[in-house]
């Protein structure tokens, strides 16, 4: 198939690539300021121009599904070249990328600072606190970007970033609120890519849906929920290999297509949540606070109990798997001071924690409920509302 691209007509190419090699390619292309697609096209042309015996043999065992786009006609030519040289297309592509990386050296300082896709896990063990509202609104604000502040603070502008919302909650509220259908049982989804990797035939990117591309300039997308997600915890129990990395493995092929991934996590303490927390851990040489957990809470006592359970689970995952999981902040959601002492006292308690900080206080107003009713993004339906302003505040605090 072909698709329009800024570089002209290109063909979508489905292949496989070792995860480590894919990450090296992504890092090197970013360091050189080269689009990933252009880097792969250069790699293929460079490989074709080299003698066959000068290309290294790459270990492609465990290679995972990966998509790229090549100029029209180059795929067929490259595939024929691989056949002539007696190697598979997967091996040929891996060789080409390895050669390109090795021939495009950058300084050791730059190599030590890989550029990761930011991962924001919106979670709490208590249902009804508005996780979906905060995940959706934060993602929308990141995709739209922020203008420079003209006030006394004179804050800089923040560009709109390619943002993927992931509905990881089997209830599918995020998917429904944005007017998208859940993925039917048995079809390829995030769940199948987590637990049935040997059986999936397509790319998870094929399931991604653009959200109001005219309004968000093509920068906001959604990976819908699946009805199969209700069985995810039990199915994770039978996964071969480390279960905690299952979400990371499934989403890794999507990371090169997005600057930020926002996860609307399920309200439970199971294996799926362990995998979600692990996905947000700080990776090697990633800046502290770039990725981690964002926790919506309410100004009432039961929300504090739920947060204590989540904090315990974060600590357990961190210790069990020897990773750092940054707490990006708390969002006090659905706040209504008319509820009196309980609400105001609870807010004071949240703010007194200090770490993680309260990054925003979102009032309980009608605009969000109306946006859900008409199945539109809040920042599109009511862009000047107080709730929309709070979403932009969260974006600013997380920048």
């Amino acid at each position: 198939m072909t698709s329009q691209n800024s570089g002209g007509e290109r063909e979508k190419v489905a292949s496989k690539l070792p995860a480590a090699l894919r990450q090296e390619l992504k890092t090197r292309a970013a360091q050189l300021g080269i689009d990933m697609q252009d880097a792969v096209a250069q790699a293929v042309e460079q490989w074709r121009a080299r003698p066959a015996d000068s290309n290294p043999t790459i270990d492609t065992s465990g290679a995972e599904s990966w998509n790229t786009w090549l100029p029209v006609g180059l795929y067929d030519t490259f595939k024929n070249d691989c056949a002539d040289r007696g190697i598979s297309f997967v091996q040929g592509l891996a060789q080409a990328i390895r050669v390109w990386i090795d021939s495009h050296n950058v300084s050791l300082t730059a190599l030590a600072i890989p550029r990761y896709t930011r991962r924001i896990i919106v979670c709490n063990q208590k249902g009804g606190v508005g996780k979906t509202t905060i995940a959706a609104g934060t993602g929308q604000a990141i995709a739209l970007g922020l203008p420079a502040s003209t006030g006394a603070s004179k804050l800089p502008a923040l560009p709109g970033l390619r943002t993927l919302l992931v509905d990881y909650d089997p209830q599918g509220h995020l998917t429904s609120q944005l007017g998208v259908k859940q993925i039917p049982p048995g079809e390829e989804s995030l769940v199948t890519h987590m637990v049935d990797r040997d059986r999936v035939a397509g790319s998870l990117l094929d399931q991604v849906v653009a959200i109001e591309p005219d309004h968000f300039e093509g920068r906001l997308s959604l990976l819908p929920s699946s009805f199969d997600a209700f069985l995810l915890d039990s199915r994770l129990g039978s996964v071969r290999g480390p279960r905690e990395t299952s979400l990371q493995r499934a989403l890794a092929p999507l990371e090169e297509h997005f600057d930020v991934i926002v996860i609307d996590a399920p309200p439970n303490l199971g294996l799926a949540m362990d995998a979600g927390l692990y996905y947000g851990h700080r990776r090697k040489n990633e800046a502290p606070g770039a990725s981690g957990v964002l926790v919506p809470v309410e100004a009432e006592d039961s929300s504090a109990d739920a947060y204590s359970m989540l904090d315990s689970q974060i600590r357990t995952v961190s210790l069990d798997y020897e990773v750092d999981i940054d707490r990006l902040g708390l969002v006090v959601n659905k706040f209504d001071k008319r509820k009196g002492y309980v609400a105001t006292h609870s807010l004071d308690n949240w703010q007194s924690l200090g770490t993680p900080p309260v990054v925003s206080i979102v009032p309980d107003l009608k605009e969000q409920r109306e946006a859900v009713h008409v199945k539109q993004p809040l920042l599109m339906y009511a862009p000047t509302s107080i709730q929309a302003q709070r979403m932009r505040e969260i974006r600013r605090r997380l920048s």
Side-chain angles (χ1 to χ4, degrees), residues 73-94:
L74 183 56
Y75 168 64
D76 288 334
T77 302
F78 183 36
K79 186 167 59 174
N80 291 335
D81 286 345
C82 290
D84 291 341
R85 299 186 185 191
I87 60 174
S88 68
F89 178 73
V90 171
Q91 177 63 213
L93 185 60

Side-chain angles (χ1 to χ4, degrees), residues 97 108 139 163 390:
I97 290 173
L108 292 177
T163 305
R390 295 294 186 269

Side-chain angles (χ1 to χ4, degrees), residues 123-129 131 267-269 273 295-298 300-314 330 350:
C123 55
N124 196 328
Q125 304 307 333
K126 182 178 184 295
V129 298
K131 289 186 299 81
N268 64 47
L269 294 167
M273 192 59 203
V295 186
V297 297
E298 288 186 275
E300 42 106 88
D301 295 340
S302 63
S303 195
D305 294 337
Y307 174 72
S308 177
M309 295 169 63
L310 173 64
D311 186 65
S312 176
Q313 186 175 12
I314 292 172
L330 305 173
W350 287 124

Side-chain angles (χ1 to χ4, degrees), residues 19-179:
L21 187 57
R22 182 178 60 243
Q23 183 59 52
E24 276 194 77
L25 171 65
K26 179 181 177 182
T27 301
R28 190 61 53 86
Q31 291 166 344
L32 297 173
I34 298 174
D35 184 269
M36 282 275 289
Q37 298 173 21
D38 293 335
V40 175
Q42 290 177 18
V44 169
E45 295 287 14
Q46 183 177 357
W47 178 90
R48 295 184 62 230
R50 290 165 58 96
D53 58 3
S54 68
N55 292 311
T57 299
I58 308 300
D59 181 4
T60 59
S61 58
E64 299 175 352
S65 297
W66 181 69
N67 286 347
T68 189
W69 284 259
L70 292 176
V72 171
L74 183 56
Y75 168 64
D76 288 334
T77 302
F78 183 36
K79 186 167 59 174
N80 291 335
D81 286 345
C82 290
D84 291 341
R85 299 186 185 191
I87 60 174
S88 68
F89 178 73
V90 171
Q91 177 63 213
L93 185 60
Q95 289 183 8
I97 290 173
R98 176 77 270 161
V99 167
W100 184 87
I101 292 171
D102 291 344
S103 64
H104 288 73
N105 292 322
V106 295
S107 69
L108 292 177
T109 301
L111 283 173
I113 310 175
R115 300 184 185 182
Y116 292 111
T117 294
R118 294 187 67 186
R119 302 159 318 284
I120 300 172
I121 317 302
V122 182
C123 55
N124 196 328
Q125 304 307 333
K126 182 178 184 295
V129 298
K131 289 186 299 81
T132 299
T133 295
I134 301 307
T138 300
Q140 293 164 38
I142 292 172
L144 285 173
L146 297 177
S149 170
T150 57
S153 56
K154 296 183 179 179
L155 298 172
L158 296 176
L161 302 175
R162 299 170 302 166
T163 305
L164 177 65
L165 294 168
V166 176
D167 195 344
Y168 191 46
D169 188 338
Q171 298 174 89
H173 293 318
L174 177 59
T175 299
S176 176
Q177 288 183 16
L178 294 175

